[in-house]
Amino acid sequence: MPGYIIHLAAAKELQPVLEQHKLLRNDDDINAFLVSCLIPDAVSDKTKTHYRQTDDKAIQIRYPQPWRFCDAYPQLIHTPAGIGFLFHLYVDYLFYHEYFSRHVLLTDADHALQVRKEKIELAILLDYNKIVSGKQFFIEKPLYDDYTIINAILEKKYQLSYDFAPVENPGFAEIDYSRIDDIKQNILYYSKLSRQAPSHETHVLKVEPLLEFIRTTAPRFMNDYSDILLNAFSAFTRV
């Protein structure tokens, strides 16, 4: 799944667009947006925070349904925290529903696509024209080594910093904003791993397609949600 640093890089693509539309108006808004792009992952059980299409743990990839979040919190979508939470779900949705499936195929021994864990025997790595064991794919070191390498590239490209300030929960029952210190520590740990990476060669996901995915999430988000965000914001500012 996309880690904190991938989510933060995508948020940095969206941030200037939101500022242009005055959906982020000051440093506090920006901080609330960025923290909320990360906070849904600061839990041990992501079932509630991610509005997944299924709670069946036998399904290997359970992607979020962002529209369910919109239905749950229509009055908070236009807030910086609401936009951040929604964007987190949207990035996860696109990553699993589109990006990942274009680069990795999970199949049985006959190369038929499978979604249930017990039926997945192979992972076909399309970027590298390679096939590995599906049973171990999600816990094997090469995938996470790729994330470590990509994190270092993203930190440099987006000049990422992690000096987040506390955020008051505007009313999301599923998340705990006091976990921001845990997020900081986790990101700093991943950042240290990136700096210590012995190699800059990925083995599962090539770098440029992932960078392109990150670049396209912001315009796609605004295209899909601009009516909701801008109309809600206009109504809010008139009150």
Side-chain angles (χ1 to χ4, degrees):
M1 67 183 314
Y4 287 126
I5 294 176
I6 291 177
H7 274 290
L8 194 55
K12 285 295 186 179
E13 289 280 356
L14 182 59
Q15 179 184 329
V17 181
L18 298 176
E19 291 182 271
Q20 179 183 357
H21 288 290
K22 302 190 184 304
L23 290 166
L24 301 178
R25 293 176 287 183
N26 51 50
D27 290 343
D28 288 341
D29 285 354
I30 293 170
N31 181 70
F33 164 68
L34 294 176
V35 169
S36 297
C37 284
L38 305 174
I39 203 72
D41 278 346
V43 292
S44 57
D45 181 2
K46 299 176 184 177
T47 301
K48 291 184 178 179
T49 62
H50 281 67
Y51 291 84
R52 289 168 170 162
Q53 93 279 16
T54 178
D55 293 333
D56 184 353
K57 293 183 179 180
I59 303 298
Q60 181 64 67
I61 296 177
R62 293 168 285 156
Y63 54 81
Q65 294 180 319
W67 50 93
R68 291 177 56 200
F69 172 77
C70 295
D71 291 341
Y73 296 108
Q75 301 305 316
L76 296 176
I77 294 172
H78 65 275
T79 67
I83 298 171
F85 196 147
L86 177 60
F87 189 56
H88 178 103
L89 300 181
Y90 186 77
V91 170
D92 274 4
Y93 174 81
L94 290 182
F95 184 88
Y96 285 130
H97 193 65
E98 297 183 12
Y99 170 81
F100 190 82
S101 62
R102 291 173 182 166
H103 298 273
V104 178
L105 302 180
L106 303 176
T107 76
D108 59 22
D110 296 321
H111 292 192
L113 293 176
Q114 300 292 341
V115 297
R116 299 188 69 82
K117 293 179 181 180
E118 73 274 10
K119 294 185 178 182
I120 296 172
E121 297 189 33
L122 303 173
I124 303 174
L125 313 182
L126 300 178
D127 285 359
Y128 290 94
N129 194 28
K130 182 179 178 181
I131 299 176
V132 299
S133 167
K135 298 296 183 183
Q136 297 297 318
F137 175 72
F138 284 95
I139 60 174
E140 282 289 333
K141 198 169 182 288
L143 177 62
Y144 294 97
D145 282 349
D146 278 9
Y147 284 139
T148 297
I149 293 166
I150 291 166
N151 284 344
I153 294 170
L154 294 177
E155 284 191 320
K156 182 177 180 180
K157 176 178 176 61
Y158 291 97
Q159 296 294 296
L160 299 180
S161 63
Y162 313 120
D163 189 23
F164 305 116
V167 175
E168 182 178 352
N169 191 335
F172 302 125
E174 302 89 349
I175 54 179
D176 180 4
Y177 276 91
S178 69
R179 298 290 303 276
I180 185 58
D181 286 337
D182 296 333
I183 291 176
K184 287 182 185 179
Q185 292 304 313
N186 285 333
I187 293 179
L188 290 173
Y189 170 74
Y190 297 135
S191 177
K192 181 179 179 180
L193 287 182
S194 297
R195 294 193 299 272
Q196 297 175 342
S199 170
H200 297 290
E201 181 182 356
T202 58
H203 298 278
V204 178
L205 302 172
K206 288 189 175 180
V207 173
E208 188 52 43
L210 183 56
L211 293 179
E212 179 63 18
F213 165 77
I214 291 171
R215 285 193 292 267
T216 60
T217 52
R220 292 189 65 180
F221 179 77
M222 292 306 298
N223 181 68
D224 288 346
Y225 289 98
S226 61
D227 287 345
I228 294 175
L229 294 176
L230 298 179
N231 289 342
F233 177 73
S234 297
F236 172 74
T237 56
R238 290 196 297 268
V239 174

